[in-house]
């Protein structure tokens, strides 16, 4: 016990003496949290909108005025012809071209039916999808207005009643993406820092030769490993705490659930990450190798965590793979506890899987750590 | 016997690092392992300090088998690797405390053993190990290797890259440690240090060439050895090498060590030969062979 205590003490001394490392551990992650949470938005704004109006009537102008009034669209210009419009699209000057055909107003009034053409730049597929939804919403709203306008006196009775959906977004009423992203990004930071630090730490001792000296001492494998990893566990928990404080103070993210549950889960989760880090460092000889391998796993874990893209929309084989992704569980638990107020019973499936993962990873790591070869 | 090594072999893929090595080191002996870089010295050290497992053969250190009793060995040996391997970002005192703690002891408990060495670096005890000079680093490393009062001390090239004064001091320290009953196995590429050991083993390409006391080893030199000197060193070596009866020619300080194939070698004939080659101030005199000469001869 005394030995472990001394190793822990030594590790902390080394961490706090490493002037280059301190800001990386404590300042950069929090900056990232603040910057990323503000920047990583799924909202699409400032869409460059243009139109070709072949009708030039009050109806067509009213439609364009609708777009003008929306704060998502910037009406850039109008084009006299499709050729000009498509060349502007090619140059990237506009994102959306709305084409209003001739007799737009006449058809709308007489035949109650007309068509407009919308061209969307879909290089960024996700943005194009969102833009399409916005355009549809505006056109529909316009439609309703037209219907209640000129058609009013004749046959209001015969008109089908409009079915209106009133969405109610539970757990995130205003669909505030920050509420959704901050817990997720916090997860990333805790994971990345603890994985990189633990992965590189033992390799560093290998690189500078101190491990050789340690290995001829009677110190036990378990003492050494616990002593080495415990400081990073503390750092991980510290990061979570600071991250939560920032989330509350700067982003005002609701914290509905019990913080105790969140800390309990994180305590086990960091063990998984430390196990992975130790495992990596056992099979590498330099910090560079360890860094690249850790990076490889982190990228896969992040992209398949459901943080940026929903897991439900992944192909089935990928969904099965995400079962082995610890970040996925952490993201789920963070969001469940913070936004939904889930209790320990609710997160039990994630908790037990993470615990099992921690046992397996650390078992493998300790088993593969050899003092002699 | 403090160290016994019998028929140890170790290969790394293609390279045969150690080839059927056997020798013994007596208790309290200062034993030198002399050989050039790549001879297999470090491999042997790593096997004896339980960091590496030999392919074949057996070895014991302080009575413990290196494979079966490796835990006991780790309690009873001190190892100083060739590369400085203490924590450079910890201070002198912190390093010493750290190693004392993981050996389950304290600095105070074994202070008398390291006192001679530690007093020299004590004024810098709050300095980080990375900021020490080469000689002081060695002293710190030796202190850390001694802090748990080991029975056997392994020193892998302790004086490589250390200045001559510190080297001399270091060997004096080893002599004092030996008097305290510690068995010391030391490796070095410097032949002059070999003469300071009780016994030495000459090792090359993973094989032991010779094991004996330094005095005996030089007696194995088969020829009479001559110091040859002339006004121009380079031409002298070239011409000696071109001499038809030459057996060996090695530069050695201001002289060239020369030996002849003939039993009835007449230095006067060589002098005439060299004079014919327009060399002047020629001196030829009989000299005692050194360990280096013997090594070069055996390594031929």
């Amino acid at each position: 016990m005394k030995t472990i205590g001394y190793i822990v003490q030594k590790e902390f001394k080394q961490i706090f003496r490493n002037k280059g490392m301190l800001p990386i551990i404590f300042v950069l992650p929090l900056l990232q949290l603040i910057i990323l949470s503000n920047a990583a938005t799924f909202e699409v704004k400032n869409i460059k909108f243009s139109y070709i109006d072949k009708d030039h009537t009050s109806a067509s102008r009213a439609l364009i005025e609708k777009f003008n009034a929306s704060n998502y669209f910037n009406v850039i210009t109008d084009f006299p012809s499709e050729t000009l419009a498509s060349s502007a699209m090619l140059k990237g000057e506009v994102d959306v071209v709305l084409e209003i055909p001739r007799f737009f107003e006449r058809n709308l009034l007489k035949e109650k039916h007309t068509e407009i053409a919308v061209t969307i730049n879909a290089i960024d597929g996700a943005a194009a999808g969102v833009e399409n939804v916005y355009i549809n919403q505006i056109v529909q709203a316009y439609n309703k207005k037209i219907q209640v306008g000129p058609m009013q006196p004749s046959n209001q009775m015969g008109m089908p009643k409009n079915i209106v959906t009133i969405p109610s977004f539970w757990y995130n009423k205003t669909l505030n993406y920050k509420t959704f992203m901050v817990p997720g990004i916090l997860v990333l930071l805790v994971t990345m820092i603890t994985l990189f630090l633990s992965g590189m730490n033992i390799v560093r001792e290998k690189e500078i030769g101190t491990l050789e000296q340690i290995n001829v001492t009677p110190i036990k494998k378990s003492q050494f490993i616990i002593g080495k990893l415990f400081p990073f566990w503390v750092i991980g928990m510290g990061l979570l705490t600071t991250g939560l404080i920032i989330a509350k103070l700067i982003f005002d993210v609701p914290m509905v659930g019990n913080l105790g549950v969140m800390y309990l889960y994180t305590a086990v989760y960091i063990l998984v990450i430390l196990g992975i880090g130790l495992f990596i460092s056992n099979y590498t000889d330099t910090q560079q190798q360890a860094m690249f391998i850790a990076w490889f796993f982190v990228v896969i874990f992040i992209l398949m965590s459901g943080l940026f893209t929903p897991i439900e929309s992944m192909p089935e084989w990928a969904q099965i793979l995400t079962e082995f992704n610890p970040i996925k569980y952490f993201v789920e638990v963070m969001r469940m506890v913070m936004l939904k107020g889930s209790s320990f019973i609710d997160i039990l499936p994630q908790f037990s899987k993470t615990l099992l993962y921690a046992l397996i990873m650390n078992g493998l790591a300790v088993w593969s750590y050899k003092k002699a070869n | 016997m403090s160290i016994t090594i019998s028929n140890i072999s170790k290969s790394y893929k293609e390279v045969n690092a150690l080839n059927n090595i056997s020798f013994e080191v007596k208790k309290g002996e200062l034993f030198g392992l002399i050989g050039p870089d790549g001879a297999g010295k470090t491999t042997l050290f790593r096997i004896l300090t339980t960091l590496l497992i030999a392919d074949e053969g057996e070895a014991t250190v302080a009575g413990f088998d290196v494979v079966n009793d490796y835990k006991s060995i780790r309690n009873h040996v001190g190892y100083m690797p060739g590369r400085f391997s203490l924590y450079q970002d910890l201070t002198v005192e912190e390093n010493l405390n750290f190693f004392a703690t993981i050996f389950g002891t304290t600095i105070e408990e074994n202070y008398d053993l390291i006192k001679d060495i530690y007093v020299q670096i004590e004024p810098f005890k709050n300095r980080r190990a990375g900021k020490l000079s080469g000689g002081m680093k060695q002293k710190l490393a030796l202190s850390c290797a001694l802090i748990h009062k080991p029975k056997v001390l392994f020193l892998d090239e302790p004086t490589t890259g250390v200045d001559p004064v510190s080297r001399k001091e270091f060997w004096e320290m080893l002599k004092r440690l030996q008097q305290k009953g510690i068995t010391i196995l030391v490796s070095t590429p410097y032949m002059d240090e070999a003469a300071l050991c009780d016994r030495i083993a000459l090792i090359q390409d993973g094989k032991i060439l010779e094991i004996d006391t330094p005095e005996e080893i030089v007696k194995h030199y088969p020829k009479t050895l001559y110091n040859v000197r002339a006004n121009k060193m380079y031409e002298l070596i070239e011409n000696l090498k071109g001499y038809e009866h030459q057996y060996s020619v090695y530069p050695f300080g201001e002289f060239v060590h020369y030996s002849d194939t003939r039993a009835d070698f007449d230095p006067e004939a060589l002098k005439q030969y060299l004079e014919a080659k327009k060399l002047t101030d020629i001196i030829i005199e009989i000299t005692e062979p050194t360990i280096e000469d013997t090594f070069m001869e055996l390594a031929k």
Side-chain angles (χ1 to χ4, degrees), chain B residues 38-69:
Chain B
K41 301 189 296 285
T42 300
T43 304
L44 185 60
F45 271 103
R46 300 194 49 165
I47 289 172
L48 293 176
T49 51
T50 74
L51 290 173
L52 199 64
I53 293 168
D55 298 337
E56 283 167 53
E58 282 169 10
T60 66
V61 173
F64 302 108
D65 187 90
V66 288
V67 178
N68 298 325
D69 300 325

Side-chain angles (χ1 to χ4, degrees), chain B residues 7 55 86 117 125 131 146 160-161 168 172 184 194 199 233 236 260 285 294:
Chain B
N7 310 315
D55 298 337
L86 300 178
I117 307 157
K125 67 179 183 183
K131 299 254 189 289
L146 284 170
T160 301
K168 193 163 167 288
E172 284 163 8
I184 302 172
R199 282 198 304 152
M233 189 66 166
L236 176 65
D260 201 273
E285 59 194 20
T294 317

Side-chain angles (χ1 to χ4, degrees), chain B residues 13-292:
Chain B
K13 287 186 184 128
E14 303 289 294
V15 187
N16 212 346
L18 288 178
N19 200 343
N20 206 15
I21 298 257
S22 302
F23 65 85
E24 290 179 337
V25 179
K26 294 187 202 96
K27 196 170 180 304
E29 198 172 21
L30 176 56
F31 192 96
L33 208 53
I34 319 293
D37 292 344
K41 301 189 296 285
T42 300
T43 304
L44 185 60
F45 271 103
R46 300 194 49 165
I47 289 172
L48 293 176
T49 51
T50 74
L51 290 173
L52 199 64
I53 293 168
D55 298 337
E56 283 167 53
E58 282 169 10
T60 66
V61 173
F64 302 108
D65 187 90
V66 288
V67 178
N68 298 325
D69 300 325
Y70 69 94
K71 281 185 180 157
S72 312
I73 290 185
R74 286 174 184 171
N75 274 314
H76 292 112
V77 303
Y79 176 42
M80 195 174 139
R83 210 172 126 205
F84 183 69
S85 45
L86 300 178
Y87 293 100
Q88 313 240 5
D89 45 0
L90 293 184
T91 66
V92 168
E93 200 179 19
E94 283 164 350
N95 265 301
L96 203 55
N97 252 321
F98 177 74
F99 283 99
T101 311
I102 59 176
F103 276 108
T105 177
T106 56
I107 297 183
E108 293 73 35
E109 205 170 317
N110 294 316
Y111 188 73
D112 56 315
L113 189 64
I114 60 162
K115 195 180 154 209
D116 288 348
I117 307 157
Y118 189 59
V119 286
Q120 300 178 47
I121 48 173
E122 209 163 11
F124 312 102
K125 67 179 183 183
N126 291 321
R127 192 180 285 189
R128 299 209 183 153
K131 299 254 189 289
L132 293 175
S133 68
M136 286 203 280
K137 275 184 182 166
Q138 294 309 89
K139 283 169 195 157
L140 175 59
L142 186 60
S143 304
C144 287
L146 284 170
I147 193 65
H148 58 295
K149 212 171 187 180
K151 289 180 180 151
V152 185
L153 191 57
F154 292 96
L155 307 166
D156 190 5
E157 301 203 4
T159 53
T160 301
V162 175
D163 68 274
V165 178
S166 298
R167 264 172 66 184
K168 193 163 167 288
E169 278 177 14
F170 196 85
W171 277 90
E172 284 163 8
M173 286 189 287
L174 292 191
K175 285 280 180 193
R176 281 201 293 275
L177 287 174
Q178 192 195 357
Q179 283 156 15
K180 288 177 182 165
I182 297 175
T183 309
I184 302 172
L185 181 64
V186 57
S187 78
T188 177
Y190 300 123
M191 302 292 167
D192 57 331
E193 290 181 346
L196 302 168
C197 300
D198 295 338
R199 282 198 304 152
I200 54 174
L202 300 181
I203 179 169
Q204 195 190 28
D205 295 333
K207 291 190 196 93
I208 301 270
L209 302 172
E210 193 78 57
I211 302 176
D212 220 323
T213 61
E215 298 76 34
E216 282 300 314
I217 286 242
V218 295
K219 288 185 188 158
H220 292 290
Y221 195 77
K223 302 276 175 188
T224 314
L225 194 71
Y226 293 88
N227 268 342
V228 183
R229 196 164 85 169
N231 60 337
K232 290 174 189 157
M233 189 66 166
Y234 180 72
E235 279 85 350
L236 176 65
I237 296 170
E238 287 300 300
N239 285 315
L240 283 174
K241 280 188 175 162
Y243 192 50
E244 54 178 327
H245 301 295
Q246 66 98 2
Y247 179 74
S248 69
V249 177
Y250 294 111
F252 196 89
E254 53 180 336
F255 294 104
V256 174
H257 276 184
Y258 174 83
S259 61
D260 201 273
T261 47
R262 295 163 296 177
D264 56 343
F265 168 63
D266 179 14
E268 204 50 41
L270 179 65
K271 193 172 178 181
Q272 280 164 16
Y273 164 79
L274 292 173
E275 277 168 349
K277 297 283 179 187
K278 294 184 178 134
L279 286 160
T280 55
D281 309 330
I282 298 164
I283 297 171
I284 301 175
E285 59 194 20
I286 290 180
T287 185
E288 283 295 311
T290 64
I291 292 166
E292 189 165 340

Side-chain angles (χ1 to χ4, degrees), chain A residues 303-322:
Chain A
L303 291 182
M304 294 188 75
S305 66
L307 181 60
F308 294 110
T309 46
I311 289 173
E312 290 78 11
S313 58
M314 290 177 193
E316 201 162 332
W317 59 265
Q319 292 197 24
I320 294 169
L321 278 185
T322 61

